[in-house]
């Protein structure tokens, strides 16, 4: 496998640029390369691993870039639709590009006519950052490949390790000058990069601890004030709070790592965060800190009866893969049973487990809660553990994840779930339903019918930032009728059951409903026998930890 396989070609409409892999699913590139991503598909290819073909990607993070060649923050983080088995890029020490010997730097881009890529050799101009943002690059020779179209987003490497990213290229071929964002500026716009880049003033273990605590706080939805944490960490004589403050704990941690002199502030920031997390008031009362065991199932591309299954577990914000395999659909249940049992070994002894099935949209009605716990244990999975399903498209949508995370921050203090009914016999068009859910700020949508009965109405809920959807898998089979039906009875009983239940507690509450139905004298007649819960809190699935190939891992 090529050591440079992490170089990527990015295509979004008419824009072609470069990028580089920084984790199993995430790629750094320029925001202007994917500026049309809301209306145009983003595809990624790896010239060093052509057998992977084209991969779909979404924009997970954008910098502050608002258009224009000299606008700051021209950074975007892409998330692939699946992990790739490529060792990600490694990073050089910040500032190594401007060493005393003016070393040669290599950029891997995709100019017109070179779909497989081309190399450009440049040097960094020693001196201050231009506008506190860019390093100026000048060609080593008057001939050779210039930084032309197709190089935007390219990694600039010194001896194979990344020192920055090309963001500006010369408008004319004879002008062999460009600009790059050095790694410390890239981390300014995407703080999580800070864990992957070595910093000479900080011990790697201290940096790793800092970001582990940040992930834990984010996953718990603690709501800690990043500005106050910064002030306490730097003390009264430290650097002042930047104008506008910090939008997140990650941004504050990154600023302490990169902008505050010395190593003490990083340690103090982490210590303070640890104290807050250990305090009894670290999260709202009765709000569990779920530790998901994730079962992700998707089409394999090898035929309708072949699927790819991956099982992983989250512990303190770290994703730990348990197993991944392509299987016939008939073999999935047994494989999942075995791997879920293995996944528990990755959780801490006091973890609140949450079995989460991430499924393609057309499989959301699969009876996964009724699958047996094991070959010698017939207990339904949904009675043994809190179990939810998640729509795979939503799970991969950066925009919806952002909106859902904001919604959950409000729901943490919500005394009880509010059921928004979607009944049979409705004359409401799907666009009208989507608007109603948005205007009502819906947190729980209950459907009297399963997805296949009225897919456009169901997708109106899936494509809205509604954190929780509930339905009966065997609900009403035709919504075009009047009068009572099993779906209406289900919603009536559901409304009474969830009244006063906090949204964060719904997975456990639904497990108890499943247990009650299973223990009933006539289980098949119990209203909750086939309840399906789509429960979607992005804070439970933070960014995976740095790859083992990372310099700080």
């Amino acid at each position: 496998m090529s050591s440079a396989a992490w170089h990527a070609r990015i295509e979004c409409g008419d824009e072609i640029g470069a990028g580089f892999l920084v984790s199993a699913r995430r790629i750094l590139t320029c925001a202007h390369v994917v500026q049309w991503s809301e209306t145009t598909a983003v595809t990624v290819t790896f010239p060093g691993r052509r057998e992977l073909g084209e991969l779909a990607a979404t924009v997970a993070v954008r910098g502050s870039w608002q258009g224009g060649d000299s606008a700051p923050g021209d950074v975007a983080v892409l998330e692939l639709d699946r992990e790739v088995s490529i060792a990600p890029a490694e990073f050089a020490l910040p500032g190594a590009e401007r060493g005393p010997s003016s070393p040669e730097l290599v950029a891997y881009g995709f100019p017109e006519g070179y779909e497989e890529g081309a190399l450009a050799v440049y040097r960094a101009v020693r001196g201050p950052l231009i506008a506190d943002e860019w390093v100026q690059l000048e060609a080593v020779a008057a001939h050779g490949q210039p930084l032309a179209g197709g190089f935007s987003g390219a990694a600039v490497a010194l001896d194979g390790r990344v020192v920055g990213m090309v963001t500006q290229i010369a408008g004319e071929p004879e002008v062999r000058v460009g600009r790059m964002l050095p790694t410390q500026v890239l981390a300014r716009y995407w703080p999580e990069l800070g864990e992957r880049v070595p910093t000479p003033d900080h011990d790697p273990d201290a940096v790793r601890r800092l970001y582990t605590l940040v992930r834990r706080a984010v996953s718990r939805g603690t709501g800690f004030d990043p500005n106050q944490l910064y002030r306490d960490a730097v003390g009264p004589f430290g650097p002042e709070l930047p104008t506008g403050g910090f939008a997140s704990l990650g941004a504050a941690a990154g600023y302490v790592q990169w902008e505050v002199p010395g190593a003490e502030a990083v340690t103090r920031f982490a210590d303070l965060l640890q104290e807050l997390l250990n305090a009894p008031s670290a999260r709202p009362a009765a709000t569990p800190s779920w530790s998901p065991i994730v079962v992700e199932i998707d089409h394999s591309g090898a035929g309708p009866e072949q699927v790819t299954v991956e099982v992983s577990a989250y512990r303190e914000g770290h994703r730990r893969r348990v197993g991944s395999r392509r299987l016939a659909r008939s073999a999935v249940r047994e494989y999942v049973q075995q791997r879920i049992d293995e996944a528990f070994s990755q959780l801490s002894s006091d973890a609140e487990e949450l079995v989460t099935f991430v499924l393609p949209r057309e499989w959301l009605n699969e009876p996964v809660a009724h699958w047996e716990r094991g070959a010698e244990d017939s207990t339904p999975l949904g009675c043994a553990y809190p179990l939810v399903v998640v729509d795979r498209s939503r799970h991969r949508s950066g925009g919806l994840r952002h909106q859902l995370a904001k919604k959950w921050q409000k729901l943490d203090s919500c005394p009880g779930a509010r059921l928004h009914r979607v009944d049979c016999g409705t004359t409401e068009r799907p666009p009208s339903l989507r608007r109603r859910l948005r205007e009502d700020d819906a947190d729980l949508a209950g459907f009297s019918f399963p997805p296949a009965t009225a897919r456009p109405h169901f997708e109106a809920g899936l494509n809205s930032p509604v954190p929780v959807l509930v339905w009966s898998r065997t609900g009403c089979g035709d919504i075009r009728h009047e009068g009572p039906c099993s779906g209406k009875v289900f919603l009536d009983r559901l409304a009474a059951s969830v009244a006063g239940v906090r949204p964060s507690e719904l997975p456990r509450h639904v497990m108890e409903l499943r247990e009650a139905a299973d223990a009933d004298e006539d289980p098949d007649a119990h209203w909750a026998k086939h309840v399906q819960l789509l429960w979607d809190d992005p804070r439970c699935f933070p960014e995976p930890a740095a790859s083992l190939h990372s310099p700080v891992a």
Side-chain angles (χ1 to χ4, degrees):
M1 185 186 298
S2 169
S3 62
W6 44 263
H7 291 289
R9 183 179 186 271
I10 315 294
E11 189 168 347
C12 180
D14 294 332
E15 292 282 347
I16 294 175
F20 52 102
L21 191 73
V22 294
S23 73
R25 296 184 76 147
R26 295 222 157 168
I27 290 174
L28 269 174
T29 187
C30 288
H32 77 258
V33 171
V34 291
Q35 60 184 303
W36 310 117
S37 61
E38 292 186 1
T39 57
T40 307
V42 179
T43 57
V44 176
T45 53
F46 293 94
R49 292 289 304 278
R50 294 188 179 186
E51 72 275 13
L52 293 176
E54 286 192 350
L55 301 169
T58 55
V59 178
V61 179
R62 292 182 190 271
S64 60
W65 184 78
Q66 297 294 321
D69 292 338
S70 59
D74 192 1
V75 178
V77 182
L78 307 184
E79 185 167 283
L80 298 173
D81 65 352
R82 60 183 172 88
E83 292 188 357
V84 291
S85 55
I86 297 174
E90 296 184 359
F91 292 85
L93 287 172
E97 71 278 3
R98 293 186 285 175
S101 61
S102 297
E104 291 186 355
L105 309 174
V106 178
Y108 192 137
F110 301 90
E112 186 175 1
Y114 292 87
E115 188 168 336
E116 73 285 2
L119 302 178
V121 183
Y122 277 67
R123 284 194 175 98
V125 175
R126 297 176 67 187
L129 295 180
I130 298 172
D132 196 35
E133 183 93 358
W134 297 280
V135 169
Q136 183 167 312
L137 301 174
E138 294 184 350
V140 169
H143 53 275
Q145 175 65 53
L147 291 178
F151 273 89
S152 293
V156 181
L158 169 62
D159 297 330
R161 294 176 181 265
V162 177
V163 296
M165 181 180 76
V166 175
T167 57
Q168 294 181 26
I169 58 176
E172 301 296 334
E174 63 272 12
V175 180
R176 296 177 177 270
V177 175
R179 290 179 177 178
M180 77 169 188
L181 290 178
T183 50
Q184 65 267 34
V185 176
L186 290 172
R188 183 188 303 166
Y189 295 108
W190 186 41
E192 292 174 30
L193 187 65
E195 189 176 2
R196 296 165 166 85
V197 180
T199 43
D201 292 338
H202 300 295
D203 177 64
D205 288 337
V207 173
R208 185 160 53 250
R209 174 178 177 248
L210 172 68
Y211 285 97
T212 297
L213 292 168
V214 168
R215 280 193 298 271
R216 191 185 305 173
V218 171
S219 70
R220 290 187 184 180
T222 53
F224 298 150
D225 183 356
N227 298 320
Q228 188 59 51
L229 266 170
Y230 172 81
R231 293 188 188 97
D232 293 342
V234 302
F237 303 108
E240 292 185 2
L241 188 73
T243 303
F246 301 109
S248 67
L249 283 175
Y255 193 89
V256 168
Q257 177 189 2
W258 293 101
E259 308 293 344
V260 178
E264 295 81 5
V266 164
T267 301
R268 282 199 297 271
F269 192 102
D271 288 344
L272 290 166
L273 193 51
Q274 180 80 69
E275 289 177 13
L276 289 170
L277 285 166
N278 290 342
S281 58
R283 58 182 182 267
T287 299
S289 179
W290 296 110
S291 296
I293 292 175
V294 179
V295 180
E296 189 162 358
I297 303 176
D298 192 22
H299 305 281
S300 71
E305 293 304 313
Q306 294 288 317
V307 298
T308 300
V309 184
E310 180 175 302
V311 179
S312 54
Y314 280 84
R315 179 170 178 168
E316 296 182 352
H318 291 267
R319 182 182 181 188
R320 306 181 181 202
R321 183 185 294 185
V322 177
S324 180
R325 186 174 297 180
R326 189 172 74 186
L327 298 164
R329 287 191 66 173
S330 58
V332 169
R333 185 178 303 193
E334 181 180 358
Y335 180 79
V336 167
Q337 289 169 340
Q338 296 170 352
R339 293 300 176 270
I340 285 179
D341 252 3
E342 291 178 23
F344 273 92
S345 67
Q346 302 293 334
L347 303 185
S348 61
S349 58
D350 60 346
E352 295 280 357
E353 73 274 4
L354 177 66
V355 176
T356 305
F357 280 80
V358 181
L359 303 172
R361 189 158 290 190
E362 64 270 26
W363 294 349
L364 285 177
N365 211 45
E366 287 290 310
V368 290
H370 289 264
W371 291 5
E372 294 181 349
R373 186 176 183 176
E376 299 179 359
D377 185 349
S378 62
T379 306
L381 276 175
C383 295
Y385 316 114
L387 183 150
V388 302
V389 298
V390 173
D391 174 54
R392 192 173 186 277
S393 296
R394 273 169 58 125
H395 198 61
R396 301 295 171 221
S397 170
L400 273 174
R401 311 313 290 160
H402 177 73
Q403 292 175 313
L404 285 166
K406 290 196 299 184
K407 183 73 73 69
W408 275 105
Q409 288 178 358
K410 298 178 183 177
L411 292 182
D412 281 341
S413 58
C414 176
R418 297 174 298 132
L419 180 66
H420 287 68
R421 300 176 62 118
V422 184
D423 281 286
C424 300
T426 180
T427 59
E428 191 173 30
R429 296 173 56 247
S432 176
L433 171 61
R434 185 170 58 246
R435 181 181 179 184
R436 173 164 67 92
L437 293 173
R438 178 180 58 80
E439 290 182 343
D440 291 350
D441 199 24
D443 47 44
L444 168 60
F447 292 80
S448 65
F449 46 85
T453 298
R455 191 164 296 278
H457 287 77
F458 204 86
E459 290 188 344
L462 289 174
N463 294 332
S464 303
V466 181
V468 186
L469 281 71
V470 186
W471 66 96
S472 172
R473 292 184 42 261
T474 58
C476 197
D478 183 0
I479 66 168
R480 295 181 296 274
H481 70 80
E482 297 180 358
C485 66
S486 62
K488 182 180 184 302
V489 171
F490 172 79
L491 288 186
D492 289 344
R493 299 294 299 272
L494 179 67
S497 175
V498 301
V501 178
R502 299 165 67 93
S504 57
E505 284 285 0
L506 282 171
R508 187 169 303 283
H509 180 74
V510 169
M511 182 189 77
E512 293 168 356
L513 290 177
R514 289 170 176 149
E515 285 183 301
D518 194 54
D520 194 79
E521 291 185 1
D522 187 359
D524 290 333
H526 195 281
W527 71 272
K529 169 70 173 179
H530 299 287
V531 63
Q532 195 85 319
L533 174 65
L534 188 150
W535 186 93
D536 203 353
D537 185 350
R539 302 172 304 174
C540 288
F541 311 98
E543 170 70 359
S547 166
L548 292 178
H549 297 282
S550 163
V552 298

